[in-house]
Amino acid sequence: MSLKTTTIMKKLLFLFCIAAFSLTIQSQTRSTFANKYLGINNIPPPLHVLPSPNYREANKLSIDFRDFDSNNTTKVIDDAITTGSRFITDFQFGNIDGFNKDYRLRYDAFNDQMEIKTAEDKIVILNKETINEVRFDDGSNYTIYNYALGDKNITGYLKVIFRGSKSSLLKKEMIKYVFRKRVESGYVGEVPPAYKKSKDIYFIANHNGTVHSFRTKKDFLNLFPTKTKTLEKFIKSNTIKFSKEDSLTKLVKYLDSLD
């Protein structure tokens, strides 16, 4: 075999090795990506099967559904004919407390449920009794709290706006359902049912585990009777607006700094 032929064969062998190594790296990269993002390949978190999101008759809410003709309302909530969305966002990557993989998640604010889309594109919901916290890759954090709203005691998700060592600012994202209505002024027709965003409710969580809602300056100050004067001065000097989340965040960060 000539020297020239030997040299060519060595070059071909070298190129073959490089190509094989590259394919191995790509395969490992795809495998890592799939394990992290596309599937629930480890022991799955506690889940409940969710009915098809296109039709939710199997998941009726505890609402007094009345006859359409007598009260201008529908009997059943049906997402297939409802405008708007019960979700805060579409599916995003995030992780679940106690599990080391990322999942495709979205928060159903209307039903206060956290949904997961599996690798098989099945939709399931997390069990709130066993999962405490969900963190989205965009920085959003939803944590399970026990709190009162009106005369109801609720265990559900609150979005963490600021978490301090002594005080934290939380938010209940609100979406309401507007029933289908019959219109007879000028013409006879129907306004389709719709999900609509309503005003969020803010909460203060204290280090002792208590969680209280507030809507106004008076509500907030009543929660801290021993710090009323100090907080009032800060609110006035910093022009705190209770309708603005950045103002409330600034206020709660100050509250957290107090002894």
Side-chain angles (χ1 to χ4, degrees), residues 28-216:
Q28 290 175 347
T29 301
R30 285 194 296 269
S31 177
T32 300
F33 179 85
N35 286 337
K36 184 178 182 184
Y37 293 108
L38 301 182
I40 301 178
N41 299 320
N42 60 339
I43 298 173
L47 305 169
H48 292 317
V49 175
L50 182 72
S52 168
N54 292 323
Y55 191 67
R56 298 185 60 79
E57 184 173 0
N59 193 26
K60 292 180 182 179
L61 304 179
S62 55
I63 294 176
D64 180 18
F65 292 102
R66 300 171 188 174
D67 181 72
F68 180 92
D69 292 329
S70 63
N71 203 44
N72 288 336
T73 62
T74 55
K75 285 186 177 182
V76 174
I77 292 179
D78 182 355
D79 277 10
I81 61 171
T82 303
T83 62
S85 176
R86 54 193 165 89
F87 302 101
I88 297 301
T89 64
D90 203 352
F91 284 104
Q92 298 183 50
F93 288 122
N95 57 80
I96 301 165
D97 190 35
F99 295 85
N100 59 3
K101 292 181 181 294
D102 278 13
Y103 301 93
R104 291 176 290 179
L105 301 153
R106 67 180 177 183
Y107 177 52
D108 177 353
F110 181 66
N111 291 308
D112 192 26
Q113 296 174 342
M114 195 66 67
E115 295 188 356
I116 291 180
K117 181 179 281 190
T118 69
E120 297 78 24
D121 282 341
K122 293 180 180 179
I123 297 175
V124 293
I125 58 175
L126 284 176
N127 186 347
K128 289 188 283 190
E129 295 179 359
T130 56
I131 296 296
N132 184 58
E133 186 175 2
V134 172
R135 297 171 294 274
F136 286 87
D137 285 359
D138 67 0
S140 301
N141 180 302
Y142 290 82
T143 301
I144 294 292
Y145 285 92
N146 297 313
Y147 60 92
L149 203 56
D151 58 353
K152 295 181 179 179
N153 292 317
I154 300 171
T155 297
Y157 293 100
L158 294 178
K159 186 175 183 179
V160 180
I161 306 303
F162 164 76
R163 177 170 284 159
S165 59
K166 292 174 288 187
S167 300
S168 298
L169 177 64
L170 314 170
K171 178 171 71 174
K172 172 62 179 171
E173 294 170 312
M174 303 295 292
I175 290 178
K176 64 181 180 179
Y177 185 86
V178 180
F179 287 96
R180 177 175 58 182
K181 292 184 178 181
R182 179 172 294 170
V183 178
E184 297 183 358
S185 56
Y187 71 98
V188 177
E190 290 180 3
V191 176
Y195 292 110
K196 290 191 175 181
K197 190 78 175 69
S198 56
K199 192 173 182 179
D200 298 327
I201 302 173
Y202 289 93
F203 294 79
I204 285 286
N206 297 317
H207 68 283
N208 60 6
T210 59
V211 179
H212 299 283
S213 65
F214 66 94
R215 294 179 183 271
T216 65

Side-chain angles (χ1 to χ4, degrees), residues 16-34:
F16 175 79
C17 291
I18 291 295
F21 178 75
S22 176
L23 288 173
T24 301
I25 293 298
Q26 290 178 21
S27 177
Q28 290 175 347
T29 301
R30 285 194 296 269
S31 177
T32 300
F33 179 85

